[in-house]
């Protein structure tokens, strides 16, 4: 994997961004760039339409409205969490698919929240003014937390909209995002997982691909399909080779502006540690799933999530271990530092690099303990997560809004309660399995003789203790949760629930670790802000900040690439699906669903199926609409090539590509494989048939 | 998992061993115990017959002669390494099985060595006399190494037999073992792996089981089937519920006499670290295997080995994390220390515990680096193993025998060369896969900025470096290996082979780490010897030493157990195989081979298939014959229950059981499923039909 062009290097030299790089803010779109390079004029109307058609799935992905009656499309794998929660041993919707022919048949998701961005407001000055200069890091953090909570609450009270302050440029700027929030979301259509994720882990992050990775949901308001003004029209023709396309979605997180010290920490400590955990979980869940059909069903979505994360992280790590990528980072940083050196006005920005390195070092010393306790890895289970939320809600909610832990502020309350009171199924056997494993891992990481480990295990083996905790706790009963949440700290204490008491046992140390992380995070944030100010002063304010799971605009062209001396064309066809299945002897994960076997002869096999483009994306962009110049829906992002995994650190379009399902394939499959005529009609006319 | 009775506790109290514990030396058999408990007289003739019928597979298992013409039986999974090496893309013997109807059709294994124990001689006094009192650890180690090499060479020269000095009681005694060695071993019969390992990883270490885990080989001498005087007669009736049975095999390693400090190190450091590696390899190999049939074939034996080790280690770790087991260890040790305290003659034994703790601590500080470099985990690949052997052979062989690294002494030369010149297939793609992963892991463990890591990676990414090394080295060419081995150090240097040069690059540090390990090992060994002497003086010399992959006699009864309130009967039947397959919907690993599907109606389905007994075994015992009082072959060990995994540290017959294939099932399957009439006839009459 070679990364010829790098963000930082480019920024340092103040050259235009190479290739089609960039995850642009909707309030700072790359207008000049698109005009110069593609002769395309980004109008405000075009932007607003795309913005308000775009939907964030709070479970971790993107989507878009595709009819005025609140119909929306995302990836199957983005919706999988919601679909899994609607599945039972008798009705395995994740495996077998689902199709509601009328709104009355649509299934309400248990805890899915969607957000649609309405407004952005720059609040940088107000926040910076509220944080006293020369305050110590803890005080600065507290002041910043307070003003952010204030701004969010004020905005929510005034507009009724979900209001989040988003930290951009690692602290260089703060924007207030206002979202329309939907919490009544219903499942309309899902193909069989085997159609959506044909090729499984083997073909994940590879290309050519043949996946119908889509699912349809509908947003409701007051029990009725939501009426939306902005939605995308499906293009039957879809994306064409060489065409300029745009992606509007929610990239989760990139690390392109991290310093070398931070990247080294990622490379040598953070990523290896996370991979260790992911490998362990993949083996644990995979082998447990193999024991029975029902185990497999229960663990399936978690298992695929772990596999996906493991493959993605291996790709990221490979990127950081690529000397070309890393040395470009080192060079760019030292060149920029050389630019700063000798300029007294940038002395603070120059010194900021050392402050970041020191904060990173301090955080590294407590990383394992912090991940286990505050990160909750020591107690991995839904039961523990709920127990700790109840414990902390009892303690946090009585405090003034601005002094609470971030997840308990007023502006987040609706989302918090949606999750806490979700009636999602939680399986005792799976809970015991993962908790016993987590406790075993904790004993190994901290040593069995660690005093806290001894208290956690309470004289039992990890397995015995896990059984005792999971069987003893009542937090899996939603009524019990409501009662404790409403009863506050005294009700929580009176319940003497063993899992809540475990959360209490570790909470003092856990909060102390978090306090250190917050203070060091504040130091890093201020340091990054200083660097960011220097960068803007020297190079201008062009460019885009690292991804923050908020709406971004990206663009690129539908384009193949070279690999091992072979040219890989940008589009696959439906015929390719059947060829790939045959080539792999139809063995899982290359078996075809019966619907696709039976209806092969009806299909126009030349229909484009999946395609790649040079659009700059990252995890979280899954489900993002791909639109053409006319703003029509021509495809939907669902993956990236292996080379795109290092885009976390630096973009390159040499072999890195974003992978999408083609709009024509979606229409063809809905028309002929499933037949889903009502859905197809709604996509064509843009509204429900009533 | 509860362990009610413990070795050390029992020894301390000088009570007879609980239950049927013990891996007894053939020169110190448990005669009194068997007489008292089972009214069975162990005669010298009975013992000699069993001993000389027992065979060690140097690849890591056990077996036994079953005809006078050198026919021998072991487990399929013990022979799998040899069978894999005989397999090709066209002929997948591991998957499809193999059957030679006549000796001419038998396939010569590429590097399989068998050993048959002939004589044992106690050489403790001679060795101790050669090690100067008060020598520093390094000097003591060197003196011990020298005298051991001398004894071995002398014995080999005099008798022509393979001669190994075996360290017993962690250094309390030294016995010289003389073996007859067979290096021409041919494959006679193997069932399909799906019959041998039905249920795969899911049912591994579980019971009830339904596995035909057997394979037949034949030892040859001078190109002819070897004539052997001692072999076991197959019992058609086989093992019966409640019957006393014996197992004669080669348990690889137990840790029952480790001190608490050593066990803590195992629990908190060594086992978690090894599990980390095994989980990583299981994910790596499993996902690579899923990419194609041929990948799957190439990686298969390695993959199963990793899965097996991972499940076994998890069981061992669970044992150490069981407070009942561990606190019994702590109690036993402190009681024994209390017995020693205040007795001046045992002051050294008492102080020995601290010396062991200190040596363990020192070894722990270098464990990661040592595992990566001297353990070779940083360069995991057959190519690196060969390269280092060539490098070191060039340096070691010119030295006096007594000063060489252990693996290069004269007595081990024949085995060394058998391995080094093996024409086993080595797959470039698989080598690159595992080496790239190992280099990535190394960078994470030591940090990419570690000077040695930088030299190892040579400015390339792990993947690029792995490709360069594996494609650049010639060590996979056996002729090249012979040439370098015979040419010595100068030929090795002249070759400038990149993999050998990598081995050279790390060899100085690698050897230094080994020197520290040897010196600290010497300290531990002397300390254990002191404790062992004290134990013998206080409690008598009854008992058995920890396992050492040498021949041991164990005994027990065929007996079921209770689990979750259910009673598990000790024997399964062939009918159970078909029921289990049906229950699991015939999905891999519960699919049946075609031969078993087709011939089901011919089978006597009541035939006993697998059975459990209370015999004390551990890894390495796989393939051990199970015999009755008459010394007849009534079964073959192939597994233990999950609870038996903690037998590494302490025996308990509460739920721990050894699992065997029943002799009647072997005969029934050979008669009706495969039909293998010639083999069946040889088993019945005890010789080839000529």
């Amino acid at each position: 994997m070679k990364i010829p062009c790098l963000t930082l290097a480019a920024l340092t030299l103040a050259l235009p961004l190479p290739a089609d790089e960039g995850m642009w803010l909707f309030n700072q779109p790359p207008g000049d760039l698109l005009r110069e390079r593609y002769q395309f004029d980004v109008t405000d109307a075009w932007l607003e339409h795309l913005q308000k058609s775009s939907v964030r799935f709070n479970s971790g992905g993107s989507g878009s409205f595709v009819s005025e009656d609140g119909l929306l499309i995302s990836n199957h794998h983005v919706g999988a969490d919601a679909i899994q929660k609607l599945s039972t041993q008798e009705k395995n919707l994740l495996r077998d698919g689902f199709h509601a022919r009328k709104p009355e048949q649509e299934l309400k998701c248990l805890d899915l929240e969607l957000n649609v961005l309405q407004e952005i407001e720059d609040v940088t000055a107000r926040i910076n003014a509220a944080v006293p200069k020369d305050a110590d890091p803890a005080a600065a953090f507290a002041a910043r937390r307070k003003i952010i909570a204030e701004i969010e609450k004020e905005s929510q009270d005034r507009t009724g909209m979900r209001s989040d302050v988003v930290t951009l440029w690692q602290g260089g700027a703060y924007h207030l995002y206002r979202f329309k929030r939907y919490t009544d979301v219903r499942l309309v259509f899902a193909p069989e997982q085997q159609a959506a994720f044909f090729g499984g882990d083997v073909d994940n992050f590879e290309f050519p691909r043949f996946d119908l990775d889509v699912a349809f949901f509908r947003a409701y308001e007051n029990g009725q399909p939501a009426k939306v003004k902005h939605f995308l029209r499906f293009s039957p023709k879809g994306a064409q080779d060489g065409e300029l396309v745009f992606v509007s979605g929610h990239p989760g997180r990139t690390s392109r502006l991290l310093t070398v010290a931070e990247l080294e920490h990622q490379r040598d400590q953070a990523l290896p540690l996370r991979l260790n955990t992911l490998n362990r979980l993949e083996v644990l869940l995979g082998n447990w799933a193999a024991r029975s059909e029902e185990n497999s069903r229960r663990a399936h979505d978690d298992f695929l999530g772990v596999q996906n994360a493991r493959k993605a992280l291996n790709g990221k790590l490979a990127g950081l271990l690529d000397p070309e990528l890393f040395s470009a980072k080192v060079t760019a940083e030292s060149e920029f530092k050389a630019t700063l050196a000798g300029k007294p006005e940038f002395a603070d920005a120059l010194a900021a690099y050392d402050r970041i390195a020191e904060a990173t070092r301090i955080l590294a010393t407590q990383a394992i303990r912090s991940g286990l306790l505050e990160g909750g890895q020591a107690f991995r289970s839904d039961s523990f997560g709920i127990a700790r939320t109840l414990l902390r809600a009892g303690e946090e909610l009585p405090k003034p809004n601005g002094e609470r832990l971030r997840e308990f502020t007023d502006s987040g309350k609706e989302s918090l309660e949606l999750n806490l009171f979700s009636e999602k199924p939680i399986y005792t056997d799976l809970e015991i399995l993962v908790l016993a494993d987590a406790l075993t891992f904790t004993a190994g990481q901290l040593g069995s003789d660690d005093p806290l480990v001894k208290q956690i295990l309470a004289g039992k083996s990890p397995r015995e203790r896990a059984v005792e905790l999971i069987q003893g706790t009542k937090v899996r009963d939603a009524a019990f949760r409501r009662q404790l949440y409403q009863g506050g700290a005294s009700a929580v204490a009176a319940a003497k629930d063993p899992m809540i008491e475990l959360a209490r046992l570790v909470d003092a140390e856990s909060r102390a670790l978090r306090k250190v992380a917050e203070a060091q995070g504040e130091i890093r944030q201020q340091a990054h802000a200083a660097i960011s100010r220097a960068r803007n002063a020297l190079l201008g304010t062009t460019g885009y900040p690292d991804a923050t799971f908020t709406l971004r605009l990206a663009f690129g062209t539908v384009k193949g690439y070279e690999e091992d001396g072979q040219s890989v064309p940008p589009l696959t066809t439906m015929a390719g699906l059947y060829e790939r299945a045959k080539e792999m002897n139809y063995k899982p994960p290359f078996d075809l669903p019966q619907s696709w076997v039976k209806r092969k002869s009806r299909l126009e096999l030349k229909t484009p199926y999946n395609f790649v483009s040079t659009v700059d994306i990252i995890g979280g962009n899954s489900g993002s609409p791909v639109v053409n110049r006319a703003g029509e829906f021509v495809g939907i992002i669902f993956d990236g090539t292996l080379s795109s995994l290092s885009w976390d650190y630096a973009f390159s379009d040499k072999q890195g590509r974003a992978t999408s399902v083609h709009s024509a394939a979606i229409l063809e499959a809905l028309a002929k494989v499933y037949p889903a005529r009502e859905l197809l009609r709604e996509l064509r006319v843009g509204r429900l048939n009533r």
Side-chain angles (χ1 to χ4, degrees), chain A:
Chain A
M1 202 184 309
K2 310 270 178 187
I3 308 286
C5 308
L6 289 169
T7 308
L8 272 175
L11 280 173
T12 307
L13 302 171
L15 290 174
L17 291 174
D20 294 333
E21 173 173 352
M23 299 171 175
W24 302 86
L25 297 171
F26 267 73
N27 51 344
Q28 293 166 11
D32 295 347
L33 220 162
L34 284 167
R35 208 169 302 116
E36 284 160 28
R37 198 178 296 164
Y38 290 103
Q39 297 75 52
F40 180 74
D41 264 318
V42 184
T43 64
D44 287 350
W46 187 93
L47 260 188
E48 185 193 0
H49 179 68
L50 188 54
Q51 172 188 317
K52 294 185 177 167
S53 299
S54 299
V55 179
R56 180 169 75 179
F57 275 61
N58 262 9
S59 54
S62 302
S64 57
F65 285 119
V66 286
S67 105
E68 66 176 51
D69 289 304
L71 181 70
L72 47 96
I73 185 169
S74 180
N75 291 144
H76 185 273
H77 82 267
V78 169
D81 175 62
I83 302 170
Q84 168 95 2
K85 287 173 182 165
L86 291 171
S87 294
T88 61
Q89 185 161 10
E90 294 70 38
K91 276 201 159 181
N92 190 340
L93 307 184
L94 199 64
R95 184 189 62 200
D96 301 331
F98 175 76
H99 179 190
R101 298 202 174 271
K102 314 185 253 195
E104 304 84 83
Q105 296 169 341
E106 293 169 7
L107 297 178
K108 187 170 174 178
C109 298
L110 295 176
D111 50 18
L112 183 55
E113 174 180 333
L114 305 180
N115 298 146
V116 181
L117 177 62
Q118 303 297 315
E119 296 166 7
I120 307 178
E121 185 185 333
D122 190 333
V123 293
T124 312
R126 185 167 166 201
I127 287 178
N128 286 344
V131 178
K133 298 255 175 264
D134 308 324
D136 73 51
F141 175 82
R144 195 181 307 281
R145 174 168 71 178
K146 186 156 178 283
I147 182 71
I148 287 175
E150 231 172 80
I151 292 172
E152 289 175 346
K153 180 150 174 41
E154 208 180 275
S155 165
Q156 190 177 1
D157 288 351
R158 187 171 59 78
T159 65
M161 287 195 273
R162 172 171 176 151
S163 301
D164 296 348
V165 169
V166 178
T167 303
L168 300 170
W169 301 101
Q170 264 86 347
Y174 298 87
H175 291 184
L176 173 63
Y177 277 58
R178 291 199 188 88
F179 302 96
K180 185 155 177 52
R181 185 197 318 248
Y182 296 95
T183 54
D184 181 354
V185 184
R186 306 192 189 173
L187 178 62
V188 177
F189 174 89
E192 310 88 339
Q193 186 162 41
Q194 196 42 33
F197 196 40
F198 174 81
D201 181 68
V202 173
D203 275 3
N204 196 14
F205 300 114
E206 309 276 346
F207 196 78
R209 288 290 282 288
F210 314 92
D211 288 6
L212 188 71
D213 194 354
V214 300
F216 289 88
F217 293 85
R218 191 183 306 280
Y220 278 69
E221 279 186 303
N222 308 315
Q224 294 298 317
K227 274 286 169 198
V228 299
K229 194 173 154 196
H230 295 282
F231 67 92
L232 302 177
R233 299 258 171 204
F234 245 66
S235 159
K237 194 176 150 218
Q240 304 292 306
D241 190 359
E243 185 181 18
L244 169 66
V245 290
F246 302 87
V247 168
S248 167
H250 303 82
R253 186 195 169 96
T254 52
S255 309
R256 295 181 190 171
L257 296 178
L258 294 192
T259 67
V260 170
E262 289 171 308
L263 291 172
E264 281 172 348
H265 170 68
Q266 290 291 315
R267 182 192 64 190
D268 295 341
Q269 291 160 321
L271 292 181
L273 190 66
R274 282 183 61 201
L275 276 167
N276 179 0
T277 292
L278 289 170
N279 284 326
R280 208 181 81 239
L281 286 174
E282 183 165 343
V283 168
L284 183 80
L285 294 174
N287 289 310
W288 188 74
R291 299 186 80 82
S292 75
E293 288 278 336
E294 178 58 6
N295 281 11
S296 170
R297 188 189 70 75
R298 292 181 179 195
H300 201 60
D301 188 45
D302 287 350
F303 178 63
L304 293 186
V306 166
Q307 281 199 315
N308 185 65
R310 179 260 309 152
K311 207 163 175 180
L313 249 63
N314 274 315
K316 288 172 62 169
L317 183 56
L320 287 181
L321 287 169
D322 178 341
E324 203 166 338
L325 187 156
F326 207 90
S327 68
K329 290 278 185 189
V330 172
T331 304
E333 182 169 306
S334 60
E335 283 176 9
F336 186 61
K337 279 173 160 178
T339 313
L340 300 178
K343 299 196 177 70
E345 68 273 33
F346 297 124
D348 183 53
L350 189 57
Y353 284 94
D354 291 339
R355 296 203 298 277
I356 290 171
E358 176 62 8
T360 302
R361 195 194 59 72
I362 291 171
L363 288 169
T365 60
Q366 69 167 39
I368 287 177
R369 233 174 147 90
S370 182
L372 290 172
L373 301 182
E374 182 62 12
Q377 290 167 25
F379 317 105
R380 182 185 297 276
S381 59
D382 285 331
S383 302
F384 178 80
I386 295 167
R388 184 160 68 181
T389 300
L390 289 172
L391 174 75
R392 289 189 169 175
E395 294 167 356
E396 293 294 313
L397 293 180
K399 295 182 188 172
N401 185 36
E403 292 173 22
R404 297 180 203 156
L405 295 176
R406 176 113 180 96
E407 58 273 30
F408 293 97
T409 55
D410 286 336
S411 65
K413 214 171 161 189
E414 195 177 334
S415 306
L416 176 81
E417 293 175 2
L418 180 70
N419 271 307
L420 183 59
F421 302 138
S422 164
E423 298 269 9
K424 69 175 175 179
I426 303 176
Y427 302 106
T428 308
D429 51 0
L430 183 54
E431 291 275 280
I432 291 173
L433 178 85
V434 293
L435 179 57
D437 172 73
L439 292 172
T440 300
F441 178 69
T442 303
Q445 289 281 296
L446 305 182
S448 298
D449 291 333
D450 179 275
L452 188 64
V453 171
K454 284 188 165 179
Q455 287 179 285
I456 289 168
L457 290 176
K460 308 209 170 48
S461 73
R463 171 92 197 165
E464 284 173 333
R465 182 67 169 140
V467 169
E468 175 182 78
L469 286 165
I470 297 295
Q471 289 183 347
T473 184
K474 291 189 201 138
V475 299
R476 289 189 301 282
D477 172 0
F480 177 78
R481 297 202 287 269
R482 273 182 199 279
Q483 180 203 323
L484 261 53
Y485 183 76
Q486 282 149 11
S490 60
V492 171
K496 294 197 189 339
D497 186 274
M499 192 66 91
I500 297 177
E501 293 312 305
L502 175 68
R504 191 190 303 279
L505 170 71
V506 301
D507 213 44
E509 181 171 350
S510 193
R511 281 174 177 265
L513 290 162
R514 179 164 171 167
K515 264 208 173 334
V516 173
E518 285 168 349
Q520 297 304 318
E522 176 67 26
I523 292 172
R524 275 168 68 169
Q525 197 159 311
Q526 291 191 11
H528 272 290
I531 294 171
S532 174
R533 280 191 300 272
R535 192 193 296 109
N536 289 346
L538 287 165
L539 308 171
T541 52
T542 61
Y544 63 95
D546 264 325
T548 47
F549 198 40
T550 47
L551 196 66
R552 301 292 179 95
L553 178 69
F555 60 89
T557 48
V558 178
K559 195 174 163 188
Y561 55 99
E562 298 278 316
E563 194 171 61
D564 302 330
Q566 302 281 312
S567 122
V568 181
L571 291 116
T572 65
T573 64
M574 285 189 158
L577 168 73
Y578 295 96
E579 287 157 20
R580 179 78 173 134
K582 191 179 169 196
E583 173 192 23
M584 299 304 281
N585 294 321
Y586 306 98
K587 276 178 81 169
F590 296 97
D591 48 328
L592 291 166
Q594 274 312 301
S595 58
W596 286 75
V597 174
K598 276 195 226 155
R599 289 165 199 139
K600 179 181 176 186
S601 61
R602 299 190 195 173
L603 284 170
E604 178 52 75
L605 291 171
K606 284 185 206 149
T607 309
Y609 201 166
N610 292 169
F611 68 95
V612 288
S613 63
T614 60
V615 180
D616 189 358
I617 58 154
I618 204 89
N621 265 119
S622 282
S624 301
V626 185
V627 302
N628 57 19
R629 289 171 188 244
E632 294 166 329
F633 182 102
V634 296
I636 182 168
I637 295 287
F638 75 99
D639 202 14
T641 57
L642 279 177
S643 293
S644 79
L645 292 169
S646 58
W647 286 359
D648 196 353
Y649 305 107
F651 180 84
S652 156
D653 66 0
K654 193 176 172 202
Q655 296 185 327
R657 289 292 181 279
T659 311
S660 306
V661 188
H662 197 274
S663 61
I666 299 170
L667 297 175
E668 180 75 1
L670 290 179
K672 301 188 183 162
V673 178
Y674 296 101
R677 295 207 181 77
E678 299 78 2
L679 180 55
L680 201 58
R681 189 189 168 286
E682 186 172 355
L683 292 177
R684 285 194 176 130
V685 304
R687 62 175 183 277
L688 268 170
N689 187 22
R690 311 201 204 217

